[in-house]
Amino acid sequence: MIPKFYKINNPIPFFNILPKEWQNLIVPYWSIFKNSATIYVLKENNTIIAGGIVFSKNHPHKNEFEISNDYLYKLSYFYIGYVWVIPSKRNQQLASKWLLSLKTKHPKQKYWLTIEEFSLASFYKKNGFELLKESSNPFLKEWLLTYIP
């Protein structure tokens, strides 16, 4: 079955598939961000198998590197965070399908995101993102990638 891409209004089913550490980062703060964030998911047999959150103005738990790049919001970029595929559905290119569906739904939208594992850079580059910069903190390496349609 081909997964379908949906915008959801009730965040709880998506939050429930996230790792506990991620739930602790977003659930207690959702009321602050829910009016400037949209959750998109992939469903198979009416079950969420993957998803992510798109933030249009601000996002939670920003570190120094992300704060220094907040100017991207003013340039009409949206931030992509909490992209997750359930473990039983990994290696089926669902994260790529999610990104493609998002870009198809909003063909003129620019996006930015940060990664803490450089190995993810090749995945995002394969999906049309470009590496923009690297953090200068030697103890917390991060990379910022952007997508411009």
PDB file of all heavy atoms in Angstrom, residues 7 31 88 134:
ATOM      1  N   LYS A   7      -2.066  16.495   6.499  1.00  0.00           N
ATOM      2  CA  LYS A   7      -1.902  17.478   7.572  1.00  0.00           C
ATOM      3  C   LYS A   7      -2.841  17.015   8.674  1.00  0.00           C
ATOM      4  O   LYS A   7      -4.002  16.686   8.394  1.00  0.00           O
ATOM      5  CB  LYS A   7      -2.295  18.864   7.081  1.00  0.00           C
ATOM      6  CG  LYS A   7      -2.364  19.901   8.171  1.00  0.00           C
ATOM      7  CD  LYS A   7      -2.918  21.209   7.637  1.00  0.00           C
ATOM      8  CE  LYS A   7      -3.187  22.150   8.791  1.00  0.00           C
ATOM      9  NZ  LYS A   7      -3.813  23.391   8.356  1.00  0.00           N
ATOM     10  N   SER A  31       1.576  23.970  23.234  1.00  0.00           N
ATOM     11  CA  SER A  31       0.608  25.073  23.295  1.00  0.00           C
ATOM     12  C   SER A  31       1.240  26.398  22.878  1.00  0.00           C
ATOM     13  O   SER A  31       0.558  27.275  22.361  1.00  0.00           O
ATOM     14  CB  SER A  31       0.004  25.188  24.691  1.00  0.00           C
ATOM     15  OG  SER A  31       1.003  25.496  25.637  1.00  0.00           O
ATOM     16  N   SER A  88       9.784   0.060  12.331  1.00  0.00           N
ATOM     17  CA  SER A  88       9.385  -1.064  11.473  1.00  0.00           C
ATOM     18  C   SER A  88       9.218  -0.673  10.003  1.00  0.00           C
ATOM     19  O   SER A  88       9.105  -1.550   9.139  1.00  0.00           O
ATOM     20  CB  SER A  88       8.081  -1.681  11.985  1.00  0.00           C
ATOM     21  OG  SER A  88       7.018  -0.752  11.894  1.00  0.00           O
ATOM     22  N   GLU A 134      28.251  25.395   9.148  1.00  0.00           N
ATOM     23  CA  GLU A 134      28.562  24.500  10.257  1.00  0.00           C
ATOM     24  C   GLU A 134      28.723  25.337  11.520  1.00  0.00           C
ATOM     25  O   GLU A 134      29.239  26.455  11.471  1.00  0.00           O
ATOM     26  CB  GLU A 134      29.871  23.777   9.936  1.00  0.00           C
ATOM     27  CG  GLU A 134      30.346  22.824  10.984  1.00  0.00           C
ATOM     28  CD  GLU A 134      31.645  22.134  10.572  1.00  0.00           C
ATOM     29  OE1 GLU A 134      31.850  21.874   9.364  1.00  0.00           O
ATOM     30  OE2 GLU A 134      32.457  21.855  11.475  1.00  0.00           O
TER      31      GLU A 134
END
